[in-house]
Amino acid sequence: MNFDQVNVPRKLVPANYLQLGLEAQRSKQRSFKELVEKRKLPENGWADEQIEELVYQLSALDSNNFPHKVGLGEREARIACRLVARRHYNFGHGIGRSGDLLEAQPKAAGSTLLARLTNALILDLMRAIGVPSCAGCFLVPMCTGMTITLCLQSLRKRRPGAKYVLWSRIDQKSCFKAITAAGLEPVVIPCQIQGESLHTNISSFRDTIKALGVENILCLYTTTSCFAPRNSDDIYEVSKLSQEWDLPHLVNNAYGLQSVDIVRQLERAHRVGRIDYFVQSSDKNLLVPVGGAIVASFNESLLHDVASTYAGRASGSQSLDVFMTLLSLGLNGYQSLIKQRNDNFIYLRENLKKFAQSRGEVVIDSRSNSISLAITLGTIAADRMESITQLGSMLHQRGVSGTRVVVPGQIKTIDGHEFLDFGSHRSDLKVPYLTVASALGVTRIEIDKFFDIFGKCWHQLGQKKESKTILTDKELH
Amino acid sequence: MNFDQVNVPRKLVPANYLQLGLEAQRSKQRSFKELVEKRKLPENGWADEQIEELVYQLSALDSNNFPHKVGLGEREARIACRLVARRHYNFGHGIGRSGDLLEAQPKAAGSTLLARLTNALILDLMRAIGVPSCAGCFLVPMCTGMTITLCLQSLRKRRPGAKYVLWSRIDQKSCFKAITAAGLEPVVIPCQIQGESLHTNISSFRDTIKALGVENILCLYTTTSCFAPRNSDDIYEVSKLSQEWDLPHLVNNAYGLQSVDIVRQLERAHRVGRIDYFVQSSDKNLLVPVGGAIVASFNESLLHDVASTYAGRASGSQSLDVFMTLLSLGLNGYQSLIKQRNDNFIYLRENLKKFAQSRGEVVIDSRSNSISLAITLGTIAADRMESITQLGSMLHQRGVSGTRVVVPGQIKTIDGHEFLDFGSHRSDLKVPYLTVASALGVTRIEIDKFFDIFGKCWHQLGQKKESKTILTDKELH
Amino acid sequence: MNFDQVNVPRKLVPANYLQLGLEAQRSKQRSFKELVEKRKLPENGWADEQIEELVYQLSALDSNNFPHKVGLGEREARIACRLVARRHYNFGHGIGRSGDLLEAQPKAAGSTLLARLTNALILDLMRAIGVPSCAGCFLVPMCTGMTITLCLQSLRKRRPGAKYVLWSRIDQKSCFKAITAAGLEPVVIPCQIQGESLHTNISSFRDTIKALGVENILCLYTTTSCFAPRNSDDIYEVSKLSQEWDLPHLVNNAYGLQSVDIVRQLERAHRVGRIDYFVQSSDKNLLVPVGGAIVASFNESLLHDVASTYAGRASGSQSLDVFMTLLSLGLNGYQSLIKQRNDNFIYLRENLKKFAQSRGEVVIDSRSNSISLAITLGTIAADRMESITQLGSMLHQRGVSGTRVVVPGQIKTIDGHEFLDFGSHRSDLKVPYLTVASALGVTRIEIDKFFDIFGKCWHQLGQKKESKTILTDKELH
Amino acid sequence: MNFDQVNVPRKLVPANYLQLGLEAQRSKQRSFKELVEKRKLPENGWADEQIEELVYQLSALDSNNFPHKVGLGEREARIACRLVARRHYNFGHGIGRSGDLLEAQPKAAGSTLLARLTNALILDLMRAIGVPSCAGCFLVPMCTGMTITLCLQSLRKRRPGAKYVLWSRIDQKSCFKAITAAGLEPVVIPCQIQGESLHTNISSFRDTIKALGVENILCLYTTTSCFAPRNSDDIYEVSKLSQEWDLPHLVNNAYGLQSVDIVRQLERAHRVGRIDYFVQSSDKNLLVPVGGAIVASFNESLLHDVASTYAGRASGSQSLDVFMTLLSLGLNGYQSLIKQRNDNFIYLRENLKKFAQSRGEVVIDSRSNSISLAITLGTIAADRMESITQLGSMLHQRGVSGTRVVVPGQIKTIDGHEFLDFGSHRSDLKVPYLTVASALGVTRIEIDKFFDIFGKCWHQLGQKKESKTILTDKELH
């Protein structure tokens, strides 16, 4: 709907008034044209109204929204509840086509356009923030773990005889289950401990490759973003190994896009070695609701293998979320979020060090982790071990979420594999610790409140008074 | 927020006026209490306002919406774009917990409650419409195909040595890819042709089981809802086979919930034999946007295997859609949709027969298909084969979506398997045909318009005048 | 924002898919063009999305929504609360310009267009439903009473020496206060009683004109829609008087647009005599929230007098409501509402007669009232007068709103004028009665429920059991 | 809808998780309780979700939203268009009752509560920002001018013999029309000119009172906020006059609430003299869409006279806007808006002085005007008078709105009264000037952009190049 070729009668509005109004619309049309034609993330965020107008323009291109549609198939994107229709801006057809997430839908030009444009904007973002060599990427409407499974499944098509996945240990359940879900065999590469900090064990990777035989190995599987005191895996060295042995390399970059260090490391690793896919969560990196992941690659054709492994047509809801969010933030908005996060990380670290010092603890030195920090809980443990298990619960009850207390002695079995000291990414933890993170969107106010509450809980634990426990520590992790 | 224990000053409103207003709220509170406590689908649909109020009440229970939250983890469900937050009613945490779709989240009591209540309502619905023995079900935020893959992956954990999936041929790509995506080996059981109608080949199933060896077979895999002239698989007999050989049986019930015949058949099959899982699309059966599937079982513990195979935390968006839709429709609303669909199927069939008769064609007799119908296109083909390939495009350009033209000679290779006469579910198609469906939500007006347009296209093809083709037939399927 | 001159890259969507989508938009653009150029109410209602798109297009033309506005005046239509901005679709400038409701605003081309188009659509509606001679009309964002005051104020400018307003008695407070608010002198013309039905006393009008002197009389003031057993005033005869004596005639047509009889009477009266203004409520006739009235005239220039009497710029919210409602209904939608109302009136009357008959009461014959009906309450009164005053309250407590119980003996003084038997439009009421109305939007279900509840209350009153009274009868009127 | 007395089954959510969620709701309930019971503006603004929840809770108390309503009256607040219903949060009954804006409605407890609570919050705000003696106030859903008319109409009821309104000249049309609309006789008191600045002529007021006779004078009528170089009227001295002669005093405080100086002056004037009513616009002071005004008084009973002069039931839309806005801002939010405005005024003034100095002009010294500023345009005028009339249009076309160019020689007749040099508030203007204002919500960015554009236009005018004029100067005022 637009005023082109509409002769607005002077009785409705004087022509000169209208002219001024119409002129003001030009910049909007220009930015729309630019967005579609250049497929580039705008520098500055768009106004909400402009975003919604575009989204409605797109959904109007889908056949379920045609005024005179006649639907005689089994899937016509009818939406029974108008609240549901409204919250999806009348999009109903999802994305992709039976068996390929990247295919266009003849019935749904708008959904197609939205999904592809979203992928283009993400790509533009990735290149702008530090991975200029990124060749392509797309949003998968599944969690990071399942998306990694999908990558593994598509790698298997290329290497049908290989079944081992060499995995640098990280104690996060779904990272591991991503392997078993694909029906593959995980091979755990334990981390190397330096001080109390955990690093990628490159020589163990190399030895294991030799021991198992290259032809039997599906891929190397590393993780960047993680809880301290584990560090981001040394993807630089693993990429070199990968290239050396001609083995695929899959990087779980779960929430790594928000860290400048990690992003740069991806680019550097690609330059000297090999990364087939790097996968990241859309919720943690782009601040949308849980439910999507982004597969990226330095080789565009590899992406099609993954897209065509998905068996069916998928939800378009996650694309819509990312699309609206990116338009709303613009490149500048996103970069300022990254900057704030980084500043807050430094602020958190400095304050945590002060907190530790005054209480006889230390912040474990894990310098290749630029998101998460770990503070030892030795003095409390010395006093009374049970106190520590209360700490997480106490913090949670006071509104602090996301901190994790890790204590020695936890054993966990996942799909038949036993992990000692689960949660610590190692099998010989001695000193308990607590992790805190400065993730995208955290505010200085939250950090200040945290220290206030943390201090009070610490004091209370010292006095051994806390009795009621609403959430056990176990429930929290 | 409520008026209990709030002393509203008389200066604001006379007590008796207020009292009448408050009394009118009681029925709302009563229906809310009943919904939560009994976990039953309401008889009658709720008003939009009531649904939204409940949804907001639930999201307020999630930690990201706590007024004084302090988020120091890596995933705090922050939402950057307020349009996105609004469309998700501030839900951000998704459902499940790393590695189990059914687990509760300590950070997200509201998301947990919503997801589980949704599953309870779907279960209640399934029992009410004809599967009283259904023991449980849950919504998976992935398409039907991927959900079938998930079921196969979890079956593999129980039968690690088995790799064959015996699959009654149906020419729908994602049904087949669901097997290969899981890294399993599909074994095609061709349909039996009776007249032009296609039926499950029970003896071929039996022979193949014997030939391959039970221990090597992961499961039998059938499909109910499908395009005519293929019929719904004979799940009654396959269930008996399944029980006889102690083999899992997986039913792709893609859009079968909308058909009374199919629903009843599921219950009957369960009574005499074995069905491990039956999987159905949420969009086609519940009229929500594409993106979810429902796994159901007659054995609740089997469901946990599937839920715990999902590697990660998943989108809650699909649960929200189904939740709102079910509350909006109520049981009566859904049942009246089913009734209308059935009436419209009969109406469509009768009119199609008349149409066929007057043009020297027939409606192929596929009486175990209560959703889709196929009309032969022999006379047009006889005249000029290319005309037929235009027909689908002509209909689509005139606003008719969902009809499919099937012509002999199509060969398609999917993941290394070649299918002759793809689209026809058989390898020796002679007469081309067109399918039309009466799916949930179709209106009589649409059916009437269809015949009007179909008639005109038929006439035009006879005159060989159509030249411009916007969409090729191939693009449409 | 539109796709004209935007080259959508093939990488985003295949050109042929897009083309189909764009073609489907044409009818929308066509109906928009027609609306603006012809200023006619569409035959059929628009979809919600289309209405909202248009409304946003219009508000984007207002300077407060220009992307790069620089506001250095005292009124820049800034909106502090985004919920408020959203509910007004970003409209902030109101309508009119200091001192003229119909003037265009240079800062607000969109608001201007919306207000004027709304007036054009109302005019089109009025002409279509029975007042083809209507020359113009406009929406005033004040209640009917204040709008009548505005009309009186503008008439005073034309007849500065005249101070009397001859008013056919109707016991509705604001009708009367409309005169005193303007600082004028009301002269009450009592109704003529025929049976128990009340009619306009034409001869009393004539006598009073003679007695007071034409030059001292500002206007004649009649009312159409009213509570039975008062009838619609005989505007046909009063119009003739008005023309005969060259006296302005003002018609309070509060909720008369919904009645075919009244609407036709307006046209007929105009043809034989004189009506200067007829004023109607927007909420009662167009089913929007309370707050607006429509001034209409058979002489366009008279309208400008009223518009320029309003001292300031006014709310545009009421125009927006009416605009959206009219587009949503379309002419057909409105006419079917009128038809339903009429059918329901007949249904209500027939059932009320049966109810009355079986209980020894009568429905008072007021055949020039096609909206409201009155049933006598003689038998209850005979038994116990207090019972009657309970009846209204009993009905209200049971969810029945809008019925009125009228009992003899009420005296009310308004601005110094005393009215005996207030509520009955006469000064000698003997038999109490209850009124019920079939107004626009009433449903048959409501009527049926009413009789159910009415019957129960009647029974209960007979048994003298009701004790608790939440709302007194006085509060209800 | 709330969780009290609802037994949430453990199957839906673990009790401890739920408990944490419910505890987080308490502060919300507490702030709701406090708002209603204390009727005080919250210190800090509420979240959007909380505001909407409250608004829906209130509208649910109105009978049109009762689940089982039976409406048999002529006004049942039915809303035909669901978009309209939604934007009004289902409120339909308006505020007040036929003939009194402050009365409660038995059918609409929620609307009543909302309207009265809004008035209470405005009162609380007014007291907090500088008028602690304010006794009461209420929102009138009409513009400032019409609300002043309403005040005059109610004063007339108290002083029926008086017809003159003594009005300190201000060249704003609706201020003047407010008098004639009420059918009263304006008596213009010209301003006193000191330098080029305009002040209230107290001695002329005194002389006119004597000349006309107190009994013939309805009231004294002053204006605070206005365009420079007119100053805010000296309400301190006029109040003393008012008390001395026992004459009502009405203050048009159109956009004065945003100025700390004016607000304090109101309080001071009341302490030494008499102000009956002070009236202010809701849009300019509270940043809501145009359409409402606030009548306030130091004497509560005087307010009821005004409220009961309104003939009818009125729109509740304006109350809703103000209610949501006040809750959204909170007291702190509003006070910080005021502070920013004041800072920006100083910034604007300093920059305007620099601009003037460098171009041989002056900023006219009007120190009792703390919102608007006037800069002379003498040098441009000297060069070419027509250039000046282009200036306003040039600025407007470049996105600057709200500035006014005032040139000598304009004559305007309003309702029979002729004003020389209209726009300048005086009859002997020599030097043209331009006004700019720092109103609530203006940003520093806008001020900077203004000077940039102003400088360019100035330069261009000097070069006599501008030719195309879209908006004439006359259209702009």
Side-chain angles (χ1 to χ4, degrees), chain A residues 7-275:
Chain A
N7 300 308
V8 181
R10 216 190 133 72
K11 275 202 104 169
L12 284 184
V13 62
N16 50 348
Y17 299 2
L18 179 61
Q19 193 184 329
L20 277 178
L22 291 176
E23 271 165 20
Q25 311 308 308
R26 285 194 195 144
S27 68
K28 209 165 65 176
Q29 177 67 9
R30 211 159 35 230
S31 60
F32 165 56
K33 185 175 162 72
E34 209 173 283
L35 176 79
V36 170
E37 295 189 349
K38 302 199 180 155
R39 289 168 293 144
K40 282 188 72 63
L41 185 59
E43 287 292 310
N44 298 307
W46 286 18
D48 284 3
E49 288 77 9
Q50 198 174 348
I51 296 173
E52 290 199 305
E53 186 182 346
L54 172 54
V55 169
Y56 272 121
Q57 293 269 3
L58 294 179
S59 76
L61 299 174
D62 280 7
S63 63
N64 60 317
N65 298 317
F66 291 176
H68 298 295
K69 65 175 174 298
V70 177
L72 282 164
E74 86 293 3
R75 189 186 50 80
E76 296 295 339
R78 294 187 181 100
I79 305 180
C81 173
R82 70 188 184 210
L83 292 173
V84 172
R86 201 177 74 205
R87 84 180 201 86
H88 288 285
Y89 294 85
N90 301 324
F91 279 114
H93 275 290
I95 60 165
R97 237 180 136 186
S98 68
D100 196 329
L101 280 175
L102 295 175
E103 238 183 279
Q105 294 189 54
K107 270 186 189 179
S111 291
T112 301
L113 217 160
L114 181 125
R116 292 181 172 185
L117 192 47
T118 302
N119 292 337
L121 298 185
I122 301 171
L123 178 59
D124 199 42
L125 177 73
M126 298 238 265
R127 287 173 172 169
I129 63 171
V131 202
S133 304
C134 186
C137 65
F138 67 97
L139 185 68
V140 181
M142 298 195 299
C143 68
T144 311
M146 287 302 283
T147 303
I148 285 172
T149 300
L150 200 68
C151 290
L152 293 172
Q153 285 166 332
S154 66
L155 286 175
R156 182 169 47 201
K157 291 192 185 171
R158 279 197 277 149
R159 298 173 68 84
K163 68 174 180 182
Y164 296 114
V165 176
L166 272 55
W167 173 70
S168 177
R169 175 171 173 183
I170 169 159
D171 289 2
Q172 211 271 331
K173 243 165 113 181
S174 58
C175 297
F176 185 76
K177 293 184 89 163
I179 306 170
T180 56
L184 296 164
E185 191 61 48
V187 179
V188 181
I189 310 291
C191 293
Q192 202 166 17
I193 303 167
Q194 298 175 355
E196 291 298 307
S197 168
L198 308 177
H199 297 267
T200 317
N201 197 329
I202 298 297
S203 59
S204 173
F205 258 106
R206 185 183 303 270
D207 296 346
T208 312
I209 293 169
K210 287 182 194 158
L212 296 174
V214 167
E215 66 286 359
N216 298 315
I217 296 170
L218 187 73
C219 69
L220 313 183
Y221 172 15
T222 55
T223 301
T224 55
S225 52
C226 59
F227 294 108
R230 189 190 186 281
N231 285 289
S232 171
D233 269 325
D234 188 348
I235 53 175
Y236 188 83
E237 291 300 328
V238 177
S239 290
K240 288 202 287 188
L241 274 188
S242 178
Q243 181 144 0
E244 181 187 338
W245 296 96
D246 200 18
L247 266 174
H249 179 197
L250 175 60
V251 180
N252 175 2
N253 187 38
Y255 43 103
L257 282 190
Q258 63 191 282
S259 158
V260 177
D261 291 355
I262 293 175
V263 163
R264 282 191 196 134
Q265 200 66 3
L266 283 164
E267 178 74 16
R268 285 183 59 226
H270 157 68
R271 301 218 166 160
V272 299
R274 171 175 174 176
I275 292 175

Side-chain angles (χ1 to χ4, degrees), chain B residues 30-47:
Chain B
R30 211 160 32 231
S31 61
F32 165 56
K33 186 175 161 71
E34 210 172 282
L35 176 79
V36 170
E37 295 189 349
K38 302 199 181 155
R39 289 169 292 144
K40 282 187 73 64
L41 185 59
E43 287 292 309
N44 298 307
W46 285 18

Side-chain angles (χ1 to χ4, degrees), chain D residues 139-172:
Chain D
L139 186 69
V140 180
M142 298 195 300
C143 69
T144 311
M146 286 303 283
T147 302
I148 285 172
T149 300
L150 201 68
C151 291
L152 292 171
Q153 285 165 334
S154 65
L155 285 175
R156 181 168 51 199
K157 291 192 184 170
R158 279 199 277 149
R159 297 172 69 82
K163 67 175 181 183
Y164 296 115
V165 175
L166 272 55
W167 174 69
S168 178
R169 176 170 172 183
I170 169 160
D171 289 1
Q172 212 272 330

Side-chain angles (χ1 to χ4, degrees), chain B residues 1 5 7 33 37 57, chain D residues 1 5 7 33 37 57:
Chain B
M1 207 180 284
Q5 297 169 316
N7 299 308
K33 186 175 161 71
E37 295 189 349
Q57 292 270 2
Chain D
M1 206 181 284
Q5 297 169 319
N7 300 308
K33 186 176 162 72
E37 295 189 349
Q57 291 271 2

